[in-house]
Amino acid sequence: MLKIKTLVKICGITTIEQAIKVAELGTNAIGIISVNESPRYISLEKKKEIFKILKDLYPNIERVSVVKNRPINSIVRSLLSESNETVIQLHGDEDIEYCQKLKQQIPNVCLWKAFRIKNKKDIKKIKPFENFLDGILLDSWNNETYGGSGKRIEQKYLEDISFSKPWWIAGGVSIEWIDEILKKIKPNGIDISSSIEISPGIKDLEKTRQIIREIKK
């Protein structure tokens, strides 16, 4: 039986140097935060620069721009200005109508959406979105922030779930949890940020290497 590899996304990259080094370690996707209030936020110009270098050096790595509750025309304008994203990841309160309209306007760019999970009912609410998304990301619920909190989703909500689109787990993913994730939860991909950081937006490259190796071994 063919074993499907679990994909890895390293999110919250803020410098060119770290983007290149993380790419060298074998990640499948690199995320940049375009949400102003995030401590990992970087400017549009800096994001363009990082994604351009990744496109030239590592064209097979997904370049993910994380946005939250932005007007659709703002996202479309940004994509038209050679920003080099391959994925737009919605990380706010965007509804089904929003996802449908945005997908219609950016058919050649993948659209992922993060859902913050507080209970089992939140998993069921995702199903209607599937027709308008290319990927689903499950993150932990937190009253104070929409992501990057380092808190885990309760594992009992994650076992025996399936979607028609590839899905990623995020929220407090540390190397100690990887074995259980791979054996019991079995997502298509794992999204990692705060657990491998020295400070917000600055990754500990040795921790990053170890966690990517643990997932891919």
Side-chain angles (χ1 to χ4, degrees), residues 101-115:
K101 285 181 178 178
L102 180 58
K103 187 59 188 171
Q104 286 171 346
Q105 293 195 43
I106 58 166
N108 298 320
V109 178
C110 288
L111 184 62
W112 298 356
K113 175 156 172 58
F115 297 88

Side-chain angles (χ1 to χ4, degrees), residues 2 10 14 44 51 74 82 96 103 118 153 175-176 193:
L2 179 65
I10 303 298
T14 57
L44 175 61
F51 279 168
S74 169
E82 299 182 14
I96 294 176
K103 187 59 188 171
K118 189 191 292 185
I153 307 171
I175 195 164
E176 295 80 15
S193 182

Side-chain angles (χ1 to χ4, degrees), residues 52-156:
K52 175 66 167 62
I53 287 171
L54 288 175
K55 181 180 180 181
D56 292 342
L57 298 179
Y58 298 94
N60 294 326
I61 291 177
E62 297 286 4
R63 302 178 297 277
V64 184
S65 184
V66 180
V67 300
K68 171 190 159 192
N69 298 336
R70 271 179 66 180
I72 288 174
N73 61 355
S74 169
I75 295 174
V76 174
R77 279 201 311 270
S78 174
L79 289 170
L80 291 174
S81 66
E82 299 182 14
S83 47
N84 292 310
E85 289 97 330
T86 59
V87 179
I88 295 293
Q89 178 182 312
L90 306 176
H91 220 292
D93 306 303
E94 302 87 2
D95 60 15
I96 294 176
E97 184 181 6
Y98 179 105
C99 295
Q100 183 178 15
K101 285 181 178 178
L102 180 58
K103 187 59 188 171
Q104 286 171 346
Q105 293 195 43
I106 58 166
N108 298 320
V109 178
C110 288
L111 184 62
W112 298 356
K113 175 156 172 58
F115 297 88
R116 299 186 297 152
I117 306 303
K118 189 191 292 185
N119 52 50
K120 195 73 173 178
K121 290 180 182 177
D122 290 333
I123 300 285
K124 294 178 181 177
K125 290 176 185 175
I126 298 170
K127 285 289 180 185
F129 284 81
E130 289 182 87
N131 290 336
F132 312 113
L133 299 174
D134 302 293
I136 291 161
L137 190 142
L138 305 185
D139 202 350
S140 56
W141 175 270
N142 188 298
N143 285 327
E144 298 168 6
T145 178
Y146 277 67
S149 69
K151 292 188 176 181
R152 292 184 185 179
I153 307 171
E154 285 195 50
Q155 191 164 313
K156 63 184 179 182

